[in-house]
Amino acid sequence: MQEAEQLEMLRDSLSRFIDIEMPLDAVRRWDRENEFPAEVHGKLVDMGLMGLTVEEEYGGSGRDISATVMVIEMLCARSLAVGGPFIQSACYAGLNIAEVGSPRQKAELLPRVVNEGMIFAYGISEPDVGADVASVRSTAKRDGDSIIVNGSKRFCSGATIASFIYTLVRTGPVDDRRRNLSLVLVPTDAPGIVLNRRTRWA
């Protein structure tokens, strides 16, 4: 089957899904109450949509960026409460781990993206740091087999529903601004993590 035909079949299936599972009255409630519709997210998982960014060896359908972007556009056109978490699963988690994860991380985490719709949040910006992310003050250092992370982040959309925060930290001297930055996967249930839970997903 041609790629264009596959894309059109996916579009039709997703359009029917949106009409049935994302009615406008529910969308208005999700927006008004800032609610994460976990059941709808789970049904997207059952459709295999989280596997659009994951290779077959990890349980996905193979990377299909065109299909992924189409799904994002269609979901977000109806509801960011559904489209946002899809991005955080398929892209923040799926694409990032596929691109830069270690073999162990890929083996452990990518099947969870496909089968569970596991969500990542980004921990990039900080209270006293604007667009110049090279000025981040959060730090990470090794302590035996552990990594100790200290600092604060803001605008971590979806952190309260995420399994990990993809966290930008400084791992060397402040003077060497752009050569000592690292990304660390911080479990949201790790000791010392405090999340602002005034909202459910934003």
Side-chain angles (χ1 to χ4, degrees):
M1 186 182 297
Q2 296 295 318
E3 181 179 349
E5 293 178 274
Q6 292 177 316
L7 206 59
E8 193 58 34
M9 287 181 62
L10 176 58
R11 185 190 301 276
D12 290 342
S13 295
L14 188 57
S15 180
R16 290 192 295 271
F17 177 90
I18 289 171
D19 287 341
I20 295 170
E21 302 293 343
M22 300 168 61
L24 291 176
D25 58 338
V27 168
R28 285 191 286 268
R29 187 184 72 252
W30 300 336
D31 289 344
R32 182 174 63 251
E33 300 177 4
N34 202 24
E35 178 182 348
F36 166 53
E39 183 178 353
V40 177
H41 186 75
K43 290 180 179 180
L44 293 174
V45 173
D46 293 341
M47 288 178 67
L49 296 184
M50 307 308 168
L52 290 173
T53 58
V54 178
E55 298 298 338
E56 292 181 8
E57 64 181 300
Y58 300 109
S61 56
R63 185 176 302 187
D64 189 336
I65 301 302
S66 295
T68 302
V69 171
M70 184 190 72
V71 171
I72 291 171
E73 290 179 339
M74 292 180 68
L75 292 178
C76 289
R78 178 62 67 98
S79 171
L80 288 177
V82 177
F86 172 78
I87 294 170
Q88 292 180 254
S89 182
C91 301
Y92 289 13
L95 280 179
N96 278 329
I97 294 300
E99 286 287 340
V100 300
S102 67
R104 178 180 174 182
Q105 287 172 329
K106 291 178 182 179
E108 290 182 358
L109 299 179
L110 289 179
R112 292 185 59 191
V113 174
V114 175
N115 299 318
E116 302 172 23
M118 183 176 64
I119 288 171
F120 280 14
Y122 277 162
I124 307 297
S125 61
E126 298 184 351
D128 299 318
V129 176
D132 182 12
V133 296
S135 298
V136 296
R137 299 180 182 180
S138 297
T139 61
K141 64 178 181 179
R142 288 191 176 275
D143 182 10
D145 292 332
S146 300
I147 296 177
I148 307 299
V149 178
N150 284 297
S152 298
K153 295 293 181 178
R154 70 189 307 184
F155 305 133
C156 298
S157 296
T160 58
I161 60 170
S163 297
F164 292 91
I165 301 174
Y166 204 63
T167 308
L168 183 67
V169 294
R170 185 170 301 287
T171 50
V174 174
D175 293 343
D176 203 3
R177 284 163 46 83
R178 292 176 175 79
R179 297 178 181 273
N180 58 28
L181 298 175
S182 302
L183 287 162
V184 178
L185 284 179
V186 178
T188 52
D189 60 356
I193 294 291
V194 178
L195 299 177
N196 180 343
R197 296 184 181 274
R198 288 181 298 175
T199 57
R200 294 191 62 180
W201 83 274

